Amino acid sequence: MAPRLPRPHRFDGYVALAGLLGGVLLWAIGLGTRPADEPLVLWPGHWPVLLPLAVMAGCELLRRSAPRTALLTATAALVLDTVTEGNLVTVLMYTDVIYAAVLYGTPASARRIPRITGLLAVAGTIVPFAVWRVPEALLIGVAVGIVAFAPASTGLIVRNHREAAEAARLRAQQTALLAEMDRTQAVVAERSRMARELHDMVANHLSAIAIHSTAALSLDDPGTSREALGVIRENSVEGLAEMRRLIGILRDDSGDSEPAAAPTLDGLGALADTARANGLEVVVDAAHGDRLPAPVELAAYRIVQESLTNALKHAGPGRVTVVLRRLDGSLSIVVSSPYGDREQPSVPGSGAGLIGMRERTALLDGTFEAGAQTGPDGGLWVVRATLPVVEGETE
């Protein structure tokens, strides 16, 4: 089957029709570009002018859908028009075909056509003048430049501007996409931070409430029940205070990354006292030296708090040891608790505490590990975290 030509654009059809009608009008009133007795006219007569005119109008139909085919055919039609009496509209349509071939053609055509037409313009200026030695011969090069090189250069300039505008539009879209991705990542990071804060603040108190309420329900002893209710009330009050502090952080529009009320390592004593009131035997050995950066202090406090919460929920009977040391520009945190059979009722865990501690450590480029180990007194569950402390960032 013969290949089908692409369907022309509607605007190209209007251009072809306008050119054809304009050329026919000039032909009807007898306006030609050359007299019949000129030596260049090899096909004189009134009717031969219509053939290159019709072919050129057909090329205008393909100026955008098949620019290379249109240019080659139009060049042949222009040569044919040159050996007739000629029609000005045929020449004008040829300039438009060259312009469209550069603008809508392939990148290779857009580079080559201006170069070729430029060389033809130079050759059309030098060669005739060298042969005939008359100033009028220079007009041939000028005509080639006007008919071929000028529209090709114009098409190249317009194409470059369009490509630059398209590249700018794509960059704007990419910038908007990156901004949206950054916003989404910021929202996800903030939600993760809020989830860690909420878990670390509330899980300790709710775990103590769950354990002591279970003990109060399972033991028929008024004294034990009263003591458990006291612990439950204390943890409920502290949990509500923590929740109010978190709500205050969420409502604060000052833009501070961490509010001044964020817990510090100075509160480890109170944290240990709360754990002891909940039934743990806690020993704290904190030698972290001078004031640490606020992010490091907050992360260390939350890691110790979550470790004590896990010990309250899962540890066996025995001593829970908390050791903090500042060594070689880093803060070392080690929390060990008995690991084994548990006499008291336990609270099921979801693993969110370990995930939160690991995320806090990773945000500060530290290291974290947690797992069961065998010690001299039996099995231990040990949490180890190392948080870098950059000198000069302390507050």
Side-chain angles (χ1 to χ4, degrees), residues 118-134 137-142:
L119 292 175
L120 290 176
V122 173
T125 303
I126 297 175
V127 174
F129 181 78
V131 173
W132 292 318
R133 299 290 182 174
V134 292
L138 298 175
L139 296 177
I140 298 177
V142 174

Side-chain angles (χ1 to χ4, degrees), residues 112-392:
R112 294 171 183 170
I113 293 175
R115 296 175 184 174
I116 294 173
T117 55
L119 292 175
L120 290 176
V122 173
T125 303
I126 297 175
V127 174
F129 181 78
V131 173
W132 292 318
R133 299 290 182 174
V134 292
E136 290 79 2
L138 298 175
L139 296 177
I140 298 177
V142 174
V144 173
I146 294 175
V147 173
F149 179 68
S153 301
T154 304
L156 182 61
I157 293 173
V158 174
R159 183 186 182 113
N160 290 337
H161 279 291
R162 287 188 178 183
E163 291 179 350
E166 180 66 17
R169 186 183 65 83
L170 292 177
R171 285 195 299 269
Q173 290 181 349
Q174 292 174 355
T175 302
L177 180 61
L178 291 176
E180 180 64 20
M181 292 175 61
D182 291 341
R183 187 194 68 82
T184 303
Q185 292 176 357
V187 171
V188 172
E190 183 63 17
R191 291 177 62 182
S192 299
R193 188 180 75 88
M194 292 171 56
R196 289 193 300 268
E197 289 293 320
L198 182 61
H199 178 274
D200 293 343
M201 286 192 301
V202 179
N204 183 38
H205 302 297
L206 292 182
S207 299
I209 291 173
I211 292 174
H212 285 83
S213 61
T214 302
L217 292 173
S218 60
L219 298 177
D220 189 12
D221 185 358
T224 303
S225 299
R226 180 177 294 275
E227 181 181 355
L229 290 175
V231 174
I232 290 173
R233 182 185 183 281
E234 180 180 355
N235 280 275
S236 300
V237 172
E238 292 180 0
L240 287 174
E242 294 282 0
M243 286 295 296
R244 291 192 185 100
R245 191 183 74 84
L246 178 60
I247 294 173
I249 293 174
L250 297 179
R251 289 180 176 175
D252 184 16
D253 58 355
S254 62
D256 297 335
S257 57
E258 292 293 345
T264 63
L265 293 179
D266 294 336
L268 287 182
L271 186 63
D273 292 338
T274 302
R276 295 187 188 101
N278 291 332
L280 290 178
E281 181 183 354
V282 182
V283 176
V284 179
D285 182 6
H288 49 80
D290 299 332
R291 186 84 172 176
L292 298 171
V296 176
E297 287 210 37
L298 177 61
Y301 181 91
R302 293 304 188 195
I303 290 174
V304 173
Q305 182 184 43
E306 181 58 28
S307 299
L308 294 179
T309 301
N310 290 338
L312 178 65
K313 293 191 293 185
H314 308 296
R319 178 179 299 176
V320 179
T321 304
V322 179
V323 179
L324 278 77
R325 291 288 184 271
R326 186 171 179 176
L327 302 170
D328 299 331
S330 62
L331 178 64
S332 174
I333 307 169
V334 180
V335 182
S336 57
S337 57
Y339 181 73
D341 296 335
R342 177 184 175 91
E343 297 178 356
Q344 298 176 349
S346 61
V347 177
S350 62
L354 292 177
I355 295 175
M357 289 189 286
R358 185 172 286 106
E359 288 178 348
R360 290 183 183 277
T361 306
L363 288 175
L364 297 176
D365 294 329
T367 59
F368 175 83
E369 59 178 349
Q373 297 182 5
T374 302
D377 299 331
L380 295 175
W381 181 268
V382 181
V383 174
R384 299 180 185 273
T386 302
L387 305 178
V389 178
V390 180
E391 297 296 335

